[in-house]
Amino acid sequence: MTAESPAGYPGETLGLPRTGPGSMAPMGRRLLALLVDWLIAGGLALLALTLGAISDTLLSTVQAVVWLVIGAVSVRLFGFSPGQLALRIQVAATDGRLPIGIGRALARGLLIFLVVPPLFTDTDGRGLQDRLTRTAVLRR
């Protein structure tokens, strides 16, 4: 392989295996995990609305904040969010540390929330949010 040629498989340039635990998680699993996390946050925001803790004008904002907090705290503590747990994937630092720090977890969540950074992926399938925070989403 030359320096200009793409990797043979996603994660090869990071020294990850082609398949199995520790290999790059497929995009479908990552999107489903994001959907599960978003639905959990939505349910919690609706619960707060039902209990009268928030007004209906704040519902979407509260859902976004709940999603960010649940994601950042759970990724910091366990290495995965509830949706990632359900789909058997995890967030790991490319330097091998697990779990990642709260700063990286929050920065990653904020970048995902902006929607555009995840659209720009490299040959390993990592979005801009993962490249900037030096993380990768792997199979467990």
Side-chain angles (χ1 to χ4, degrees):
M1 279 178 94
T2 65
E4 297 83 27
S5 65
Y9 61 90
E12 182 178 29
T13 59
L14 298 171
L16 301 173
R18 181 183 296 265
T19 60
S23 64
M24 292 296 294
M27 186 61 72
R29 279 192 191 185
R30 290 188 264 178
L31 289 174
L32 284 174
L34 178 64
L35 177 63
V36 169
D37 290 338
W38 191 251
L39 291 174
I40 290 170
L44 291 173
L46 282 173
L47 178 63
L49 177 67
T50 302
L51 296 174
I54 61 168
S55 67
D56 58 348
T57 57
L58 293 176
L59 184 63
S60 61
T61 302
V62 169
Q63 181 177 5
V65 170
V66 168
W67 172 80
L68 180 63
V69 170
I70 287 174
V73 170
S74 62
V75 166
R76 168 59 187 107
L77 292 175
F78 310 111
F80 48 79
S81 68
Q84 292 169 339
L85 172 65
L87 290 153
R88 302 186 60 199
I89 59 178
Q90 67 183 0
V91 178
T94 54
D95 58 11
R97 293 185 313 143
L98 187 69
I100 66 172
I102 192 70
R104 281 204 267 188
L106 278 172
R108 190 176 179 281
L110 287 171
L111 288 166
I112 291 171
F113 182 75
L114 293 175
V115 178
V116 175
L119 298 177
F120 293 98
T121 60
D122 61 11
T123 57
D124 290 317
R126 295 186 317 147
L128 187 58
Q129 79 282 0
D130 285 326
R131 286 183 284 165
L132 290 174
T133 59
R134 296 180 323 273
T135 58
V137 181
L138 310 176
R139 291 182 170 114
R140 282 192 300 118

